[in-house]
Amino acid sequence: MALDSKTPNGSVADKWTNHKNKINLVNPANKRNIDVIVVGTGLAGGSAAATLAELGYNVKAFCFQDSPRRAHSIAAQGGINAAKNYQGDGDSSYRLFYDTVKGGDYRAREANVYRLAELSANIIDQCVAQGVPLAREYGGLLDNRSFGGVLVSRTFYAKGQTGQQLLLGAYSAMNRQIGRGKIKMYNRHEMLDLVKVDGKARGIIARDLVTGAIERHSAHAVVIASGGYGNVFFLSTNAMGSNATAAWKVHKKGAYFANPCYTQIHPTCIPVSGDHQSKLTLMSESLRNDGRIWVPKNIEDAQAIREGRLKPTQLKEEDRDYYLERRYPSFGNLVPRDVASRAAKERCDAGYGVNKTGEAVYLDFASAIMRYGKEQANIKGLNADDDALVKKLGTEVIANKYGNLFQMYEKIVDENPYETPMMIYPAVHYTMGGVWVDYNLMTTVEGCYAIGEANFSDHGANRLGASALMQGLADGYFVLPYTIGDYLAQDIRTGKISTDLPEFEEAEKNVRTQLERFINNNGTHSVDYFHKRLGKIMWNKVGMARNAQGLNEAIEEIAALREEFYNDVKVPGTMDGFNQELEKAMRVADFLELGELFAKDALHRNESCGGHFREEYQTEEGEAQRDDENFAYVAAWEYKGKPSDAVLHKEELEFNDVKLVQRSYK
Amino acid sequence: MNLTLKIWRQKNAQDKGKMVDYQISDVSGDMSFLEMLDVLNEDLNNKGEEPVAFDHDCREGICGMCSLFINGEAHGPDRGVTTCQLHMRKFKDGDTIYIEPFRAKAFPVIKDLVVDRTAFDRIQHAGGFISVNTSGNTQDANAIPIEKDNADKAFDAATCIGCGACVASCKNASAMLFVSAKVSQFALLPQGQVEATDRVLNMVSKMDEEGFGACTNTGACEVECPKGISLENIARMNREYLVASLK
Ligand SMILES: Cc1cc2nc3c(=O)[nH]c(=O)nc-3n(C[C@H](O)[C@H](O)[C@H](O)COP(=O)(O)OP(=O)(O)OC[C@H]3O[C@@H](n4cnc5c(N)ncnc54)[C@H](O)[C@@H]3O)c2cc1C
Ligand code: SF4
Ligand code: FES
């Protein structure tokens, strides 16, 4: 099938308005006769479910947690971008569009990104109207902060809990519709397959995680809003339950999966401390505004630190290597995430890591503390040469800005970051790849849509901070509710779709067979055992830097591991009740396929771009080398039985409104 | 560290349930409490026994999914943290640790340590929202300035993670702290005023209907709340309720 992005004609700024004016509408009286299933109730699914219900559709929403309020979106810390230009610093839809396309290393669809930028301002209005308490200034107006990689202040936030507050806003909009009976909410339910009738998505098979019952649910359209697949690495900053099953199952039913290798690695996470580790914790990016990143200059010092013979605070200034400031004098510690992450790995690989495992660098606030302290002493007319006093005053300033993060660090690491530099290391954070969708957010399966982190659409290869939340809400509140009408307009006479159709029967049977297989397998190892091994392969060979040899090895190893998993996994308990190991088994089974496609995608992309870094394709200075001539396309994979047989389809990207230039942060 | 764990095991809601002893060794202080349970579960799994079921998701103190009553305290002995943020360095070698589910009539046990907290959701369905259409036709966000102090207080109330520790630690199993946090958030914002009367009346009556107990101002909830939601909110809700009842 040829990929048709259905991007409307006309100038980029008018596309969305023109499109909205032309798409089919469903008469309000008819909406009552149409059912829509929404899988996932994070920012994307929650906002979509609420809006679809409000428009009049009957919505069935599903999430595997006990409440929509707990979806992974709740964990987002930093903020959400919007081109409001409240600060009067020259922001505009165009500028946000431009920054986002450039930040994605020119691997995103222009028209989608423009629409996102255009809708961003509406999101803030909507959330504030819903009672989301975004940060305010003393004058009572909304406050903004600045995020890495851009020159304007356009990030709205609610302390370090922006995702929480935005999600609770969407959740409250859902609650209103649940109370009115327009949304039927299925908590603790997991979608395990998509049902297609006559080539169209017409329902899902879900498992009630409490009773174990396997259920059939029909609808006129199915929306996948199940989040990202970062947990294919086992260790990531994602919530433990985040998984790829819903997205992967629609892929297996014909939805192309795009750019799986685009993964964002976040540079400021708390390093791994041991084998017991279950997940990684992100420390907000904002720390890089004041923290300086370094490792020892001499390898002997690094070794002494690792062995506990030397303290970082004992190392003299001239014995420290502030490698980001050295390599990137203009952006310094504020280079984009992929650049900062790779630079840390490079130093650690060269033997300069500073924790026991050699996989950590320092994030040091000592000079910021002294700088702020001096400033405060001067303001207050105190003795700016009194180091102890200056340090005390500076510590107060830092505590005001980052207190909760410092406290979180101290709880986990058991060291006081005011006294000794923090240790950080990159971790998998966000996946830009996902289910391929057209401009209407429809996948290559008719009637099946994908929104939020589950789709691939707006971020290209290297999402900037604060744009994932924006995309989730734009898709859910403002894009999908329009575009889905265009499709559903044909369905006003269809009537209820029976779940007795043979297609439902067969899908249910397949799900049941897979569940039974796990329960009866009687192998020797737990699900986690396999998941951890998959994670190691992914991190070592498909992680921050990749090369052809490692990728080829990974592809083979993952296929072999998958085989071993099916033969040797042990899932205790039964399938007719609450069984968390069984839930995990079903999820890891899908990761074991996705991981292989991920490596295959990384192998075929013979260039480096943003979050995808192939060691063979770098400039003399070790920076990513894009190949716009040959790779300015979206790689969309069609399922053909095994990941190794997946067939590549290309959506060529056209750039009419931005010029492709090399990103440089020197 | 070597520890003795006394864990509540209960097959399902109908089962009676009992405490079961487990020994665990090689626990490192760097592990979180839930990671310690992961290690125990891996061990049980390898022995062919069913792992202990417990709720969790984000493991960074924000989703409100983790629960656990540890040595008689909701979320364990550390202050201002959830169970996923509690680290084993808070315990000593040789300790015996009691691990039980959050107990309350309105939170029935699903299995082992997992309880059903959807009563919280149902209270929210009864009024925990502002009735505004999600159509994108709202007025500009800066059109109504909000005093910073009120915005900050509304935010503080809004940070409740819905974990239920307040209910579990209250001798009456009251949900006042939770409900008051939501009521306060909207009571402090101009957008929330229009429906204030109905909101507080509906949410409170739903709370009673769900089987939560009355508040007798003992304050145990505030002490155990991982997010520092303050009793001030209960006072604010009581005022709102009084005004609403008089209307
Ligand atoms: C620690 C952290 C910090 C972040 N900070 C920021 C930030 O500051 N700014 C920013 O813009 N972005 C940030 N991000 C990224 C952003 O949070 C996510 O991309 C975004 O929240 C994803 O939203 P979503 O609605 O697509 O998916 P999610 O919120 O992940 O929701 C997925 C939903 O799908 C459900 N689900 C999944 N599978 C199934 C299934 N099979 N059946 C039924 N239900 C299912 C889940 O229950 C859940 O409801 C951060 C991410 C992390 C990890
Ligand atoms: S008030 Fe505190 S203890 Fe109660 S649910 Fe909210 S966060 Fe948990
Ligand atoms: S697991 Fe999310 S708060 Fe503990």
Side-chain angles (χ1 to χ4, degrees):
Chain A
M1 196 205 311
L3 279 177
D4 179 3
S5 73
K6 304 227 173 74
T7 304
N9 295 329
S11 84
V12 74
D14 298 329
K15 283 183 200 290
W16 178 233
T17 312
N18 291 343
H19 189 59
K20 277 197 300 185
N21 288 340
K22 281 189 210 120
I23 53 186
N24 291 318
L25 298 178
V26 182
N27 171 333
N30 287 329
K31 289 191 182 125
R32 280 198 292 274
N33 304 323
I34 291 184
D35 303 322
V36 182
I37 284 174
V38 179
V39 178
T41 55
L43 283 176
S47 55
T51 310
L52 291 169
E54 189 173 280
L55 287 174
Y57 298 108
N58 301 312
V59 177
K60 292 181 174 187
F62 294 79
C63 75
F64 65 75
Q65 290 96 343
D66 67 335
S67 163
R69 65 171 296 142
R70 311 213 202 274
H72 169 63
S73 294
I74 200 111
Q77 300 173 347
I80 178 167
N81 284 338
K84 276 284 202 186
N85 197 26
Y86 281 158
Q87 307 300 337
D89 52 5
D91 202 7
S92 64
S93 298
Y94 181 82
R95 211 176 273 276
L96 175 53
F97 153 71
Y98 177 83
D99 286 343
T100 310
V101 170
K102 173 176 174 234
D105 234 350
Y106 310 97
R107 292 294 177 263
R109 195 188 287 148
E110 239 186 14
N112 282 56
V113 181
Y114 196 93
R115 174 173 67 187
L116 178 65
E118 194 180 339
L119 292 173
S120 65
N122 268 342
I123 297 175
I124 303 303
D125 298 340
Q126 182 66 51
C127 294
V128 167
Q130 281 165 219
V132 173
L134 292 169
R136 297 207 172 238
E137 293 169 348
Y138 281 99
L141 302 179
L142 290 159
D143 195 11
N144 289 116
R145 61 184 171 204
S146 168
F147 247 52
V150 295
L151 303 169
V152 291
S153 194
R154 63 160 74 105
T155 308
F156 293 78
Y157 66 100
K159 280 208 181 139
Q161 282 123 287
T162 316
Q164 176 189 39
Q165 292 310 319
L166 296 174
L167 182 66
L168 293 182
Y171 163 72
S172 72
M174 279 186 83
N175 284 334
R176 175 165 166 248
Q177 301 301 335
I178 295 173
R180 295 169 66 189
K182 289 302 295 177
I183 298 180
K184 178 128 178 51
M185 184 66 220
Y186 294 85
N187 300 321
R188 292 200 199 260
H189 272 67
E190 187 146 23
M191 165 185 168
L192 294 178
D193 208 356
L194 177 77
V195 181
K196 268 168 69 175
V197 180
D198 296 334
K200 292 180 178 168
R202 289 302 196 188
I204 63 167
I205 304 296
R207 182 167 175 268
D208 178 334
L209 301 178
V210 176
T211 66
I214 299 170
E215 302 172 355
R216 304 174 184 187
H217 295 275
S218 68
H220 299 88
V222 175
V223 180
I224 303 297
S226 58
Y229 51 86
N231 278 351
V232 65
F233 286 86
F234 185 73
L235 286 182
S236 82
T237 62
N238 287 8
M240 299 291 288
S242 295
N243 68 88
T245 290
W248 195 250
K249 289 290 160 51
V250 302
H251 172 54
K252 288 175 99 163
K253 284 272 161 95
Y256 294 178
F257 205 94
N259 301 337
C261 80
Y262 290 171
T263 304
Q264 195 176 75
I265 314 267
H266 200 289
T268 56
C269 298
I270 298 180
V272 177
S273 69
D275 270 346
H276 59 266
Q277 193 112 5
S278 59
K279 76 157 277 175
L280 297 171
T281 303
L282 178 84
M283 299 295 286
S284 169
E285 174 135 59
S286 58
L287 291 173
R288 285 199 283 149
N289 280 317
D290 281 313
R292 297 178 72 193
I293 295 174
W294 63 276
V295 291
K297 215 175 242 170
N298 305 311
I299 206 146
E300 307 78 48
D301 287 340
Q303 198 165 354
I305 285 179
R306 282 201 293 275
E307 290 164 3
R309 289 182 280 116
L310 186 70
K311 288 207 178 67
T313 42
Q314 292 168 324
L315 222 60
K316 286 203 288 295
E317 200 59 26
E318 58 269 27
D319 293 329
R320 304 174 175 196
D321 175 16
Y322 295 93
Y323 57 88
L324 288 178
E325 298 167 33
R326 167 169 61 79
R327 284 176 62 176
Y328 308 98
S330 70
F331 275 70
N333 294 300
L334 287 173
V335 290
R337 295 173 177 180
D338 58 320
V339 177
S341 296
R342 272 197 302 278
K345 181 176 189 305
E346 188 277 327
R347 282 294 79 193
C348 291
D349 288 351
Y352 295 89
V354 294
N355 68 347
K356 274 188 213 136
T357 61
E359 291 192 322
V361 300
Y362 286 126
L363 178 64
D364 197 338
F365 291 85
S367 50
I369 288 176
M370 296 313 275
R371 176 163 46 86
Y372 284 121
K374 276 212 157 54
E375 197 179 296
Q376 286 300 312
N378 287 330
I379 291 170
K380 295 185 169 142
L382 302 169
N383 180 4
D385 295 324
D386 178 346
D387 277 358
L389 174 76
V390 166
K391 191 172 162 198
K392 180 173 157 284
L393 293 171
T395 301
E396 281 165 15
V397 175
I398 292 290
N400 263 331
K401 290 179 93 159
Y402 311 111
N404 59 338
L405 294 169
F406 276 50
Q407 194 192 359
M408 181 163 92
Y409 179 87
E410 190 167 358
K411 284 257 183 263
I412 296 176
V413 182
D414 205 23
E415 271 184 1
N416 179 352
Y418 295 101
E419 293 298 329
T420 181
M422 274 184 191
M423 288 178 290
I424 53 162
Y425 199 66
V428 174
H429 174 57
Y430 178 85
T431 47
M432 288 85 78
V435 185
W436 185 90
V437 289
D438 63 18
Y439 188 74
N440 289 330
L441 305 181
M442 197 186 328
T443 70
T444 47
V445 172
E446 247 189 291
C448 179
Y449 291 76
I451 58 177
E453 196 175 337
N455 77 21
F456 87 104
S457 67
D458 299 3
H459 307 301
N462 174 50
R463 181 191 68 105
L464 297 168
S467 52
L469 299 179
M470 173 170 71
Q471 187 221 340
L473 290 178
D475 286 0
Y477 282 136
F478 308 133
V479 181
L480 178 88
Y482 271 102
T483 58
I484 203 170
D486 193 42
Y487 172 78
L488 290 173
Q490 322 148 29
D491 259 325
I492 50 172
R493 282 189 204 86
T494 308
K496 266 246 161 315
I497 291 156
S498 163
T499 53
D500 292 334
L501 295 170
E503 288 84 353
F504 276 92
E505 176 117 20
E506 191 189 323
E508 178 181 328
K509 206 176 95 213
N510 291 341
V511 166
R512 200 178 289 280
T513 311
Q514 199 188 6
L515 288 162
E516 277 164 1
R517 177 168 181 187
F518 284 129
I519 291 289
N520 299 329
N521 201 44
N522 245 331
T524 45
H525 290 291
S526 70
V527 177
D528 276 355
Y529 167 86
F530 292 99
H531 196 179
K532 282 184 187 177
R533 279 177 57 194
L534 171 66
K536 286 229 164 78
I537 301 172
M538 292 299 293
W539 183 248
N540 293 331
K541 298 184 172 163
V542 200
M544 244 186 293
R546 306 140 182 190
N547 58 49
Q549 190 197 335
L551 289 168
N552 276 311
E553 287 166 10
I555 288 170
E556 273 178 37
E557 288 169 28
I558 296 169
L561 184 65
R562 194 164 59 234
E563 187 120 328
E564 202 186 324
F565 170 76
Y566 276 107
N567 289 324
D568 199 26
V569 72
K570 165 148 79 197
V571 179
T574 59
M575 59 183 273
D576 55 3
F578 193 74
N579 187 338
Q580 294 174 317
E581 288 298 310
L582 183 59
E583 291 170 27
K584 278 196 277 186
M586 296 295 277
R587 295 169 188 164
V588 170
D590 292 333
F591 279 138
L592 280 163
E593 293 183 4
L594 189 149
E596 188 181 332
L597 185 68
F598 189 135
K600 185 175 159 129
D601 185 44
L603 180 64
H604 106 281
R605 193 168 276 278
N606 289 327
E607 65 163 349
S608 294
C609 55
H612 165 65
F613 190 76
R614 278 283 299 275
E615 284 163 356
E616 302 94 323
Y617 307 100
Q618 50 181 310
T619 63
E620 266 164 33
E621 293 97 25
E623 306 304 335
Q625 191 155 47
R626 268 194 349 251
D627 177 355
D628 294 333
E629 192 84 6
N630 295 304
F631 289 96
Y633 62 74
V634 175
W637 298 92
E638 181 183 1
Y639 185 79
K640 289 280 186 193
K642 288 202 301 292
S644 53
D645 297 338
V647 173
L648 176 65
H649 299 264
K650 297 177 183 174
E651 179 197 336
E652 297 294 340
L653 294 170
E654 278 172 40
F655 293 92
N656 300 316
D657 286 74
V658 289
K659 218 172 101 227
L660 277 64
V661 292
Q662 193 64 34
R663 288 196 302 155
S664 169
Y665 296 93
K666 295 261 165 203
Chain B
M1 280 187 274
N2 295 318
L3 303 165
T4 302
L5 306 175
K6 291 182 176 290
I7 304 181
W8 184 258
R9 300 301 306 258
Q10 179 174 343
K11 274 201 174 58
N12 50 43
Q14 290 75 43
D15 185 38
K16 259 184 73 188
K18 58 172 192 298
M19 296 299 281
V20 178
D21 288 10
Y22 298 94
Q23 300 298 325
I24 183 167
S25 47
D26 292 334
V27 173
S28 108
D30 288 338
M31 288 180 185
S32 72
F33 199 85
L34 299 185
E35 285 167 348
M36 183 275 294
L37 288 178
D38 290 342
V39 174
L40 173 77
N41 276 346
E42 181 77 20
D43 200 41
L44 291 177
N45 205 325
N46 290 342
K47 285 196 290 204
E49 290 174 40
E50 250 201 88
V52 181
F54 62 91
D55 260 336
H56 63 103
D57 200 16
C58 72
R59 296 212 175 180
E60 49 183 85
I62 190 77
C63 73
M65 188 101 176
C66 60
S67 50
L68 304 192
F69 217 54
I70 301 163
N71 287 340
E73 280 184 278
H75 296 306
D78 207 359
R79 286 284 83 84
V81 297
T82 51
T83 301
C84 58
Q85 296 168 298
L86 175 67
H87 279 74
M88 293 314 292
R89 60 181 83 92
K90 297 285 165 192
F91 298 88
K92 293 192 307 293
D93 190 32
D95 274 359
T96 296
I97 308 177
Y98 287 81
I99 311 172
E100 295 165 86
F102 277 6
R103 292 184 197 277
K105 190 172 130 218
F107 290 170
V109 172
I110 289 176
K111 181 176 181 173
D112 296 341
L113 304 168
V114 176
V115 299
D116 179 356
R117 284 170 282 187
T118 47
F120 272 9
D121 286 313
R122 290 189 293 271
I123 296 174
Q124 307 260 64
H125 303 161
F129 49 77
I130 288 173
S131 299
V132 55
N133 283 356
T134 50
S135 56
N137 293 323
T138 41
Q139 64 180 325
D140 185 84
N142 263 349
I144 309 176
I146 301 176
E147 202 189 319
K148 182 169 165 41
D149 195 36
N150 278 343
D152 286 352
K153 276 199 194 130
F155 170 79
D156 287 343
T159 57
C160 161
I161 55 173
C163 63
C166 45
V167 174
S169 48
C170 171
K171 64 181 168 47
N172 307 322
S174 164
M176 284 289 268
L177 195 62
F178 167 79
V179 180
S180 73
K182 205 70 212 170
V183 168
S184 290
Q185 176 192 341
F186 295 134
L188 287 158
L189 297 172
Q191 292 87 347
Q193 298 308 321
V194 186
E195 299 162 281
T197 309
D198 285 350
R199 176 179 306 113
V200 67
L201 295 177
N202 291 343
M203 288 179 81
V204 169
S205 89
K206 189 70 189 169
M207 169 177 85
D208 294 340
E209 193 187 306
E210 290 288 343
F212 292 101
C215 170
T216 50
N217 290 314
T218 41
C221 52
E222 185 184 44
V223 179
E224 299 297 347
C225 172
K227 296 296 153 186
I229 303 295
S230 100
L231 288 177
E232 242 178 76
N233 293 302
I234 297 190
R236 185 175 299 108
M237 178 164 94
N238 285 335
R239 281 199 300 277
E240 290 276 315
Y241 188 79
L242 188 69
V243 173
S245 327
L246 294 176
K247 269 189 190 164

